[in-house]
Amino acid sequence: MSNILVLGGTTEASALAAMLAARGDEAVLSYAGRVASPKVQPIPMRIGGFGGVEGLVTYLSDHGVTHLVDATHPFAARMSANTLLAAEHAGIAHIALTRPAWVPVAGDRWTRVADIDAAVAALAGPPQRVMLALGRLHVDAFAVQPQHAYLLRFVDTPDHPPGLPRHHLVVDRGPFDAEGDRRLMEAHGIEVVVCKNAGGTGADAKLHAARALGLQVIMIDRPVLPARLEVHAPAAVLRWIDHGADRGV
């Protein structure tokens, strides 16, 4: 009998959890714990890290996990690498449920950069009004470009104020729509949007809004991850579970 551990926090993870619950599968959805009030799920939840590869291997063994699904954010590179290693050490089936990356279309004004440091460097120059659509983990890195006025949007109120001398913080939880994001950008006179290439449709409203307003977008490319079995739809994960999950890549 299958016993599934889903590493989540994404829209796709929630959709998979709903499907597993509807089928009556034994499954747990694990959150990293970066959000104060994660979305309640129809399957049992756990919150917090595992303690690296060794800790995750111990959890998989202690709980009799048979299938490990990595449905974490595309930029959770360390967790994804640890997940693959842990599955190999534990000898259990592993799959990644990911979102297709965004690609520019007509009307987009993208500057693609490799990482957060490159995004910070790309903002060198005269003062502008910048929307950092990055969450809260990397915001303080932009303090070395203090000339800009920054718009931030977090899911939760932070324990400490962001380390940016000029900023406005909006606390709100998505999903967001293109019209709402357009109004937000217009209200704050945004000239540049900085975001990660999260992909999918759950967080692309800001791109539609930026395109409609003709704004520059500094797009941070995804980190390179080890080769792994990867699908883009929750239903594909169910088929993988039902038809003899492959432990290989």
Side-chain angles (χ1 to χ4, degrees), residues 21-150:
R23 296 183 355 152
D25 286 332
E26 184 175 356
V28 170
L29 178 59
S30 178
Y31 283 108
R34 295 195 177 99
V35 176
S37 301
K39 180 180 178 182
V40 176
Q41 298 291 343
I43 59 176
M45 299 162 52
R46 71 172 299 279
I47 298 175
F50 293 93
V53 175
E54 183 177 347
L56 181 51
V57 171
T58 299
Y59 180 94
L60 298 174
S61 175
D62 290 349
H63 292 81
V65 174
T66 60
H67 299 76
L68 181 55
V69 182
D70 179 3
T72 58
H73 192 276
F75 281 78
R78 178 174 295 178
M79 186 66 218
S80 290
N82 287 352
T83 300
L84 185 56
L85 287 172
E88 291 174 351
H89 286 313
I92 67 169
H94 169 276
I95 196 169
L97 173 58
T98 68
R99 312 164 180 172
W102 293 320
V103 294
V105 300
D108 284 332
R109 296 177 54 211
W110 285 17
T111 299
R112 293 180 57 181
V113 296
D115 52 29
I116 291 290
D117 289 343
V120 172
L123 288 178
Q128 298 187 84
R129 304 189 69 82
V130 180
M131 180 175 181
L132 297 182
L134 299 168
R136 59 188 172 89
L137 291 181
H138 303 290
V139 161
D140 287 354
F142 291 83
V144 299
Q145 302 285 9
Q147 71 274 30
H148 303 304
Y150 292 99

Side-chain angles (χ1 to χ4, degrees), residues 163-183:
L164 299 173
R166 300 172 60 204
H167 72 269
H168 178 86
L169 173 62
V170 175
V171 178
D172 198 4
R173 184 187 295 264
F176 304 107
D177 59 61
E179 179 58 25
D181 275 7
R182 185 187 64 78
R183 290 196 299 267

Side-chain angles (χ1 to χ4, degrees), residues 7-15 31 35 39 41 69-76 80 95-103 133-134 155 174-176 195-207 219-223 225 228-234 236-237:
L7 306 180
T10 60
T11 303
E12 293 76 15
S14 295
Y31 283 108
V35 176
K39 180 180 178 182
Q41 298 291 343
V69 182
D70 179 3
T72 58
H73 192 276
F75 281 78
S80 290
I95 196 169
L97 173 58
T98 68
R99 312 164 180 172
W102 293 320
V103 294
L134 299 168
V155 174
F176 304 107
C195 65
K196 299 175 179 178
N197 195 331
T201 59
D204 64 349
K206 56 184 171 285
L207 300 183
M219 181 66 70
I220 302 171
D221 286 337
R222 294 181 176 188
L225 294 171
R228 56 189 180 162
L229 181 62
E230 189 170 328
V231 295
H232 297 316
V237 177

